[in-house]
């Protein structure tokens, strides 16, 4: 039997809001990757597509590494997988170093057997006058694909999920948004200078995310501790869009000890066996 620390601890803040704490981020990422792999295989056995909502950045990268390992070593096939990414900077070319198109190709898609026509990311090159129609088409494509089976999320220091910054409404759909100053400052490490960070992005909306059948949110590090606490404990409000997740029927926060440090120890209840 694994020790509780190796597996994690859980406590439900509401009938649909479990939080699982892990000693190491890698353990949380392996847990999510195993769940995704199981879902892919289940859908394949049923001759059905598995539709995944994906996120970018340093938080989910270990999930992608584990899925690549499973593809190479355990014959996990992505032939039946359809993906939709949450967001993309606007405007930005797909070949740009900071583009999420490039990130996903380099860290995931180039290393698995997914059919490229089944890969969907918001385009940062759509003409401005066509963005609204493009966003509606993105929504319709998700629906035509059967809806998202599992949505992978991170959380920004503003409480954003995707690029749904403070002020985002619960019924929001895929659209063009203005990035918060905090979010842009956090992106300086990638762009080198604040003036180079785009002011805008295309993002799935809050309602788009909530339509997923499962949601798994990863948060690691001391710098995420306060926003994790607020997202779980604050009043549900557009002032902190991540709070809207608490109304979802199958959502789970997977956090490391550093990201959980603002939550009281009693919050986690009985260790998992």
């Amino acid at each position: 039997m694994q020790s509780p620390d190796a597996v994690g601890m859980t406590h439900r803040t509401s009938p649909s809001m479990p939080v699982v704490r892990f000693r190491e981020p890698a353990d949380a990422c392996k847990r999510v990757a195993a769940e995704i792999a199981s879902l892919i295989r289940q859908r394949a056995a049923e001759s059905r597509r598995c539709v995944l909502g994906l996120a970018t950045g340093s938080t989910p990268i270990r999930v992608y590494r584990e899925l690549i390992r499973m593809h190479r070593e355990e014959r996990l096939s992505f032939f039946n997988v359809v993906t939709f990414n949450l967001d993309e900077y606007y405007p930005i070319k797909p070949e740009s170093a900071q583009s999420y198109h490039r990130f996903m190709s380099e860290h995931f898609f180039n290393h698995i057997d997914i059919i490229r026509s089944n890969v969907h990311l918001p385009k940062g090159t759509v003409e401005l006058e066509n963005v609204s129609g493009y966003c509606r088409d993105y929504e319709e494509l998700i629906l035509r694909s059967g809806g998202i089976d599992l949505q992978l999320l991170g959380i920004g220091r503003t409480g954003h999920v995707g690029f749904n910054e403070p002020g985002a409404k619960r019924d929001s759909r895929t659209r063009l948004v203005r990035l918060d100053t905090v979010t842009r400052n956090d992106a300086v490490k990638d762009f080198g200078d604040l003036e180079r960070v785009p002011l805008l992005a295309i993002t799935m909306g809050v309602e788009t995310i909530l339509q997923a059948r499962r949601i798994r949110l990863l948060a690691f590090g001391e710098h995420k501790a306060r926003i994790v606490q607020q997202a779980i404990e604050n009043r549900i409000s557009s002032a902190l869009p991540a709070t809207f997740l608490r109304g979802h029927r199958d959502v789970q926060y997977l956090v490391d000890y550093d990201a959980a440090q603002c939550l009281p120890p009693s919050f986690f209840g009985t260790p998992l066996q």
Side-chain angles (χ1 to χ4, degrees), residues 61 64-65 68 72 94-111 116:
I61 200 167
Y64 301 142
R65 288 173 182 164
I68 292 167
R72 291 173 173 170
E95 64 271 17
S96 297
Q98 302 84 6
S99 161
Y100 290 166
H101 283 71
R102 181 167 177 172
F103 177 96
M104 292 302 302
S105 291
E106 292 183 352
H107 292 286
F108 193 35
F109 298 138
N110 287 350
H111 308 283
R116 280 301 179 127

Side-chain angles (χ1 to χ4, degrees), residues 137-181:
D137 291 343
Y138 200 75
E139 289 278 336
E140 291 175 6
L141 188 55
I142 293 173
L143 292 176
R144 289 202 305 271
S145 298
I148 292 171
D149 292 308
L150 187 149
Q151 176 66 61
L152 191 62
L153 293 177
I155 183 171
R157 290 195 300 130
T158 63
H160 71 223
V161 285
F163 275 136
N164 291 285
E165 300 282 17
K169 296 181 179 179
R170 190 205 177 286
D171 62 356
S172 59
R173 295 284 188 172
T174 302
R175 67 204 187 284
L176 187 67
V177 297
R178 180 171 292 275
L179 297 175
D180 190 274
T181 301

Side-chain angles (χ1 to χ4, degrees), residues 42 55 65 77 83 87-88 96 107-108 114 133 135 147 168 218 235:
Q42 178 186 336
R65 288 173 182 164
S77 175
T83 67
D87 44 30
E88 177 60 286
S96 297
H107 292 286
F108 193 35
I114 194 165
C135 291
L218 301 168
R235 180 176 63 88

Side-chain angles (χ1 to χ4, degrees), residues 9-22 31 35 215-218 228 232 245-255 263 267-268 272:
M9 299 179 181
T10 189
H11 174 85
R12 292 182 179 271
T13 62
S14 74
S16 61
M17 190 59 189
V19 180
V20 187
R21 182 175 59 174
F22 296 82
R31 170 78 72 86
E35 181 177 6
I215 296 175
R216 301 294 180 259
L217 187 149
L218 301 168
V228 165
I232 292 169
L245 300 180
R246 302 216 299 264
H248 192 272
R249 61 190 175 278
D250 188 356
V251 61
Q252 190 174 85
Y253 270 68
L254 297 99
V255 301
L263 299 170
F267 182 88
F268 294 94
L272 288 174

Side-chain angles (χ1 to χ4, degrees), residues 88-96 99 101 122-128 130-131 134 202:
E88 177 60 286
Y89 291 111
Y90 183 90
I92 197 167
K93 295 179 180 179
E95 64 271 17
S96 297
S99 161
H101 283 71
K123 293 181 180 178
T125 55
V126 180
E127 293 294 331
L128 185 59
N130 297 328
V131 168
Y134 172 78
I202 294 176

